[in-house]
Amino acid sequence: MTDFTVLKQKLATGQVLEPGTSEYSKAVFIGNLNYRMTMPALVVQARSVKDVENTNGGHSYMGYCLNEGGIVLDLSGMKACSIDKGKMTVTMEGGATWKDVYNKFKDPTLIAIGGQCPGVGVSGFTLGGGISPFSRQYGLGCDNVLEMTIVTYEGKVVTVSKNEQDEKRRGLFWALCGGGGGNFGVTVKMTCNIHKLKDPNGTVVCGEISWNLPQQKGDFDKAVEAFNKSKCPEDLTIDMIWSHGKKSQLTGGMTVIYNGGLDAAKKAIKYLLDLKPALHNLEPMKWTDWVRKSEGWEPFSQAYHHHASFIFAEGKITQELNTKISDIVAEASRLVGITDQDGPDDPKCFFLWDHMGAATSRLDARATPFYWRQGHYASEIKLLWKNPDQGPKMMAFFVKCYKVLGPYAIEQKAAYLNYIDGGINNWQEAYYGKNYHRLQVKTEWDPKNFFRNLQSIQPLSQDSTSYDKDIVLPVSEGVEGSEQPQIKKVEALWEKYAPLATPTLLGSPKTEEEVYKRDAEIRREILNE
């Protein structure tokens, strides 16, 4: 067993949390029961960069996700944010969420390129590319980064910026702008561009339009076909979703965010409104009031979930693909067993995309690690279910999704890193295209592969010489069972962890405190076995 005595001595009392306490359970909480009972040996709650420097033991890896028997570095105590209106920049600490950042914007006409869900971490969002409702006008989150500060595996603080002259440091900055978290070091601070909204009062037009399926299939199909053939103005973002609602009603809909006034927004989507949607509720508002709630991640969540990701090019949402997506969602609704109540923690399924293009497509594919610049629709299909025994059927369904929808993705493989999908075998190319080898600048900054996970960038072996060769990609090393297909690795994790935290075992807590107390009790039982 690893001795963490020295680490505990370096940090203040209360900063090091161990399994079996409510504080630990709160720090490691994730809503997905497939992984909730993953058991890090320690959680270190950092309050400063110095604390991060001190947490560099070398006995196990640490990162933003959970791990078994290692260290999780909790940066939630480092969430300071400052805005410089003169330079039009925002500087954020590594533990900040978008809610922390948005609350700092007192001028409603200014925005950062962040996500619709305010609980998402700034670092993870940006390091993974960062598709925002305003990316069509102002680029991806990673396109707006000016400077980043990380702490390396050796505990060294390194700051790199957009204008680096040194080749090694320039390579690190490039890699951080879309190369994914948990690869090169711990991101403790970043500075990014901010932008001014078109409306002088800082309002945007937001809302939903949707059609009931199959009752309005004809009108919905016409809407999808018309959208697919149209050229959206860059001020218009339309995220599509195939899902369901009360009384098990299947739906096909669009989430609209328009950077401008209501009249202009209605004019831009008139051709869709003319097709008689069952719901349309566009209205001007402050854009942070429009929140996409990510179900299945709240403290009271008692669901298992998984998703698969695909990126489609402009003009590829044909009638053929629309039909296959609609059929897939209908099949998924039967598989998970959607309910008439459609409560927050009931079984669910949906297929959605985040709309990009316009400004995101103006950069070259090699300008950042985000390779799929011709992509317009970064999509995911997600299922939530309640019974751990359903895991094998769910994975078989996702295998079917890869076969049915994968051929329509760019180069038959493109996927979005922030919709990270553990089941993708050739994830190196699916996420990074031809940019993966350049990301192996990791060799310079983490040669021992201290920061690693199931789909992390691998350092070059000693006999490798280039960061940018179009050669056959290696199977990920440094993870147990690397010879197995990725799906088998994910299934093994489900088999291990899913039975440990079932809805029956978790009970019916009434408060968040009761949620974490019960979680701690279960962990103590596991440790005592």
Side-chain angles (χ1 to χ4, degrees):
M1 181 179 291
T2 303
D3 186 356
F4 293 105
T5 302
V6 174
L7 176 60
K8 293 177 182 179
Q9 291 172 346
K10 288 182 177 182
L11 299 167
T13 302
Q15 283 186 264
V16 180
L17 310 177
E18 298 184 73
T21 67
S22 294
E23 293 79 10
Y24 172 99
S25 290
K26 182 177 182 179
V28 301
F29 176 85
I30 57 172
N32 191 345
L33 296 187
N34 279 321
Y35 309 105
R36 183 180 293 185
M37 282 298 137
T38 307
M39 197 90 73
L42 292 177
V43 174
V44 174
Q45 295 189 311
R47 300 170 186 168
S48 66
V49 175
K50 190 66 176 177
D51 291 343
V52 180
E53 292 179 71
N54 284 333
T55 313
N56 64 346
H59 297 290
S60 184
Y61 64 85
M62 55 189 176
Y64 300 123
C65 59
L66 301 184
N67 58 70
E68 187 66 35
I71 301 171
V72 163
L73 185 59
D74 179 2
L75 299 184
S76 62
M78 298 174 59
K79 51 188 179 183
C81 171
S82 61
I83 297 167
D84 189 325
K85 292 178 67 173
K87 295 181 179 179
M88 289 293 283
T89 62
V90 58
T91 298
M92 306 160 284
E93 285 192 316
T97 65
W98 285 116
K99 180 179 180 179
D100 299 320
V101 175
Y102 297 153
N103 286 341
K104 290 287 186 178
F105 278 79
K106 305 306 179 187
D107 183 345
T109 68
L110 299 178
I111 58 161
I113 304 304
Q116 291 191 58
C117 179
V120 168
V122 166
S123 295
F125 173 89
T126 307
L127 290 165
I131 301 173
S132 161
F134 301 101
S135 286
R136 287 178 52 78
Q137 299 107 70
Y138 308 119
L140 300 173
C142 65
D143 301 338
N144 284 273
V145 176
L146 300 173
E147 183 178 278
M148 279 199 187
T149 299
I150 68 167
V151 177
T152 70
Y153 82 103
E154 296 175 302
K156 294 180 179 178
V157 180
V158 178
T159 298
V160 290
S161 67
K162 196 175 186 72
N163 300 314
E164 289 291 344
Q165 298 301 309
D166 177 77
E167 182 179 357
K168 179 179 173 181
R169 295 169 63 86
R170 187 166 63 248
L172 175 61
F173 179 79
W174 178 89
L176 292 171
C177 292
N183 279 311
F184 308 99
V186 180
T187 303
V188 293
K189 188 169 67 172
M190 68 175 67
T191 299
C192 301
N193 290 316
I194 60 176
H195 300 273
K196 202 167 186 67
L197 291 170
K198 301 292 179 68
D199 183 81
N201 297 314
T203 60
V204 294
V205 178
C206 303
E208 296 178 333
I209 51 178
S210 67
W211 293 260
N212 292 329
L213 300 177
Q215 299 94 319
Q216 295 181 287
K217 182 179 184 301
D219 286 333
F220 177 67
D221 288 350
K222 290 177 184 177
V224 174
E225 182 180 13
F227 173 80
N228 187 53
K229 292 179 178 179
S230 71
K231 285 287 185 181
C232 275
E234 68 177 42
D235 291 334
L236 176 64
T237 296
I238 294 183
D239 296 339
M240 199 91 168
I241 181 166
W242 288 254
S243 188
H244 55 88
K246 301 290 186 182
K247 299 182 179 179
S248 302
Q249 176 65 62
L250 297 180
T251 59
M254 301 177 181
T255 297
V256 177
I257 296 182
Y258 186 80
N259 187 1
L262 182 59
D263 290 343
K266 287 183 175 180
K267 182 178 179 181
I269 63 168
K270 182 179 183 300
Y271 69 100
L272 299 173
L273 297 177
D274 287 345
L275 289 167
K276 303 174 184 177
L279 168 71
H280 61 90
N281 57 11
L282 270 65
E283 60 179 306
M285 64 181 72
K286 297 293 184 287
W287 93 266
T288 49
D289 293 334
W290 182 256
V291 176
R292 176 188 293 162
K293 295 181 180 179
S294 182
E295 298 190 83
W297 293 102
E298 299 301 320
F300 296 99
S301 170
Q302 294 187 1
Y304 304 87
H305 32 118
H306 189 65
H307 60 247
S309 173
F310 311 90
I311 298 179
F312 306 118
E314 185 178 25
K316 296 301 181 181
I317 312 301
T318 61
Q319 181 58 50
E320 179 181 274
L321 179 55
N322 173 25
T323 297
K324 291 192 174 183
I325 293 172
S326 296
D327 291 346
I328 281 280
V329 172
E331 181 180 348
S333 72
R334 296 188 293 270
L335 181 64
V336 300
I338 63 173
T339 66
D340 287 345
Q341 295 77 25
D342 193 37
D345 207 35
D346 285 341
K348 285 184 173 48
C349 61
F350 60 78
F351 182 99
L352 64 77
W353 75 55
D354 290 333
H355 192 190
M356 49 182 181
T360 67
S361 63
R362 291 175 192 142
L363 293 182
D364 184 80
R366 303 294 188 109
T368 71
F370 187 92
Y371 184 77
W372 306 113
R373 293 290 171 170
Q374 70 271 48
H376 275 237
Y377 313 108
S379 66
E380 68 164 335
I381 180 165
K382 184 173 181 179
L383 273 59
L384 289 83
W385 62 97
K386 303 289 290 184
N387 186 340
D389 296 335
Q390 290 179 289
K393 289 184 179 180
M394 300 302 168
M395 186 56 80
F397 176 81
F398 280 104
V399 171
K400 178 178 180 178
C401 290
Y402 296 138
K403 292 179 180 178
V404 172
L405 301 178
Y408 297 91
I410 302 172
E411 295 185 17
Q412 294 76 55
K413 60 190 172 190
Y416 179 34
L417 179 58
N418 276 351
Y419 289 150
I420 197 161
D421 177 3
I424 300 176
N425 272 333
N426 189 11
W427 57 266
Q428 297 96 333
E429 288 188 350
Y431 297 144
Y432 306 114
K434 295 180 180 179
N435 284 335
Y436 178 80
H437 289 284
R438 189 174 172 188
L439 285 165
Q440 290 181 297
V441 296
K442 176 174 174 141
T443 310
E444 300 283 357
W445 301 96
D446 184 19
K448 298 182 180 180
N449 205 22
F450 182 76
F451 298 100
R452 64 186 186 270
N453 56 57
L454 196 63
Q455 294 181 335
S456 56
I457 308 301
Q458 302 299 305
L460 285 168
S461 59
Q462 292 182 353
D463 58 351
S464 301
T465 59
S466 174
Y467 298 135
D468 198 17
K469 286 185 177 179
D470 295 331
I471 58 177
V472 176
L473 291 166
V475 173
S476 175
E477 297 176 353
V479 178
E480 199 170 45
S482 60
E483 73 283 354
Q484 299 179 6
Q486 292 291 118
I487 285 175
K488 295 297 183 183
K489 297 179 190 179
V490 174
E491 287 182 319
L493 292 173
W494 291 5
E495 184 177 345
K496 178 178 181 180
Y497 293 115
L500 300 179
T502 65
T504 300
L505 288 172
L506 292 169
S508 303
K510 300 296 189 294
T511 66
E512 288 190 26
E513 289 73 17
E514 291 180 5
V515 170
Y516 303 130
K517 180 181 178 182
R518 179 57 186 146
D519 184 282
E521 291 171 351
I522 294 174
R523 290 180 190 275
R524 288 197 296 270
E525 293 169 5
I526 293 171
L527 291 170
N528 290 330
E529 288 180 353

